Amino acid sequence: MMNNPLILPKSFYLREDVVEIAKDLLGKFLVTNLNGELRKGMIVETEAYSQYDDKACHAYNGKRTKRTETMFLEGGHAYVYLCYGIHHLFNVVTNKADVAEAVLIRAIEPIECCNNNSNGPGKLTKALGINTLHDKSSLIDSSIWIEANEEDKLGDVVASKRIGVDYAGKDANKLWRFYLSESKWVSKK
DNA sequence: TCTACGATCACCT
DNA sequence: GGTGATCGTAGAA
């Protein structure tokens, strides 16, 4: 994957507005190259999480643990963790080092070698072959990366409440989930 | 050490 | 619509 001009540069991830980045990731291509097999899907659904003013975030209020440590890395890294003992969830770490913010990729539209369904955060990691071994991987120069979409014909972007974070009280009402309204691959309308 | 629970999914009624 | 699977992590003791 050397010198691919479409790969999003680190500066894309280092920006300080994680909500903005969550929106920008829609329509981009998430690509993995594992075991010599290239897999690619278009991102159609994302959610933003921030350590600031967001109880739903694992690193809320700057909480640093072995698991959340990844979110404190510099933007442009993968944050992968196990949920419900079964599902691997893939996030993109954003902002500068020591600021814990990330974007959860919730659904992709299969493009290459992802015949499996991928309309949910647990399913897309399975379709792409992502697991917790990829936690802390760089998204710039390793086997997982995100490419720009030169066509960039997105259609309508819809904002909604995030899924599965009711425990977060008022923060559960934040409109920090974004999806492409025309995509049939969105996990839930 | 021990216990509780989750950024989900598939299958059941 | 309701619920069980399943296990690493976090927090308590």
Side-chain angles (χ1 to χ4, degrees):
Chain A
M1 61 153 278
M2 53 220 102
N3 283 342
N4 181 336
L6 292 177
I7 294 179
L8 298 184
K10 191 176 276 190
S11 57
F12 178 92
Y13 304 102
L14 291 181
R15 289 176 296 157
E16 299 195 350
D17 189 342
V18 65
V19 174
E20 192 68 24
I21 295 173
K23 281 187 275 193
D24 285 349
L25 282 172
L26 293 174
K28 302 282 192 289
F29 297 116
L30 176 59
V31 190
T32 62
N33 186 358
L34 307 170
N35 305 316
E37 187 178 3
L38 196 72
R39 303 190 190 188
K40 180 173 181 178
M42 186 175 78
I43 298 170
V44 298
E45 183 179 352
T46 62
E47 285 181 5
Y49 290 86
S50 170
Q51 76 175 81
Y52 300 115
D53 192 33
D54 176 19
K55 236 190 272 183
C57 179
H58 293 157
Y60 171 61
N61 211 11
K63 188 173 68 174
R64 237 180 224 266
T65 65
K66 190 171 182 187
R67 180 177 62 159
T68 65
E69 193 61 32
T70 307
M71 294 182 84
F72 290 88
L73 293 176
E74 185 178 55
H77 291 268
Y79 171 37
V80 184
Y81 80 99
L82 188 67
C83 186
Y84 295 103
I86 305 174
H87 305 290
H88 300 276
L89 270 56
F90 174 75
N91 299 248
V92 173
V93 178
T94 70
N95 216 318
K96 60 194 173 193
D98 296 323
V99 178
E101 291 186 331
V103 177
L104 169 66
I105 308 300
R106 286 192 57 87
I108 59 174
E109 175 180 330
I111 306 288
E112 286 178 32
C113 295
C114 318
N115 298 322
N116 306 310
N117 288 338
S118 52
N119 58 334
K123 290 193 274 188
L124 82 87
T125 53
K126 193 176 170 204
L128 291 176
I130 294 173
N131 59 55
T132 51
L133 293 176
H134 303 111
D135 187 44
K136 295 188 169 72
S137 290
S138 168
L139 297 175
I140 315 295
D141 56 11
S142 75
S143 49
I144 303 175
W145 64 93
I146 298 176
E147 293 182 2
N149 181 346
E150 293 177 303
E151 310 215 355
D152 233 337
K153 48 170 182 359
L154 293 186
D156 291 335
V157 173
V158 181
S160 78
K161 293 203 279 191
R162 290 171 294 178
I163 309 292
V165 295
D166 291 341
Y167 63 87
K170 66 175 173 58
D171 290 329
N173 294 320
K174 284 178 158 49
L175 297 177
W176 281 9
R177 170 175 176 249
F178 304 97
Y179 62 86
L180 301 180
S181 66
E182 289 154 35
S183 175
K184 63 175 182 180
W185 295 96
V186 170
S187 63
K188 202 173 171 186
K189 296 264 180 180

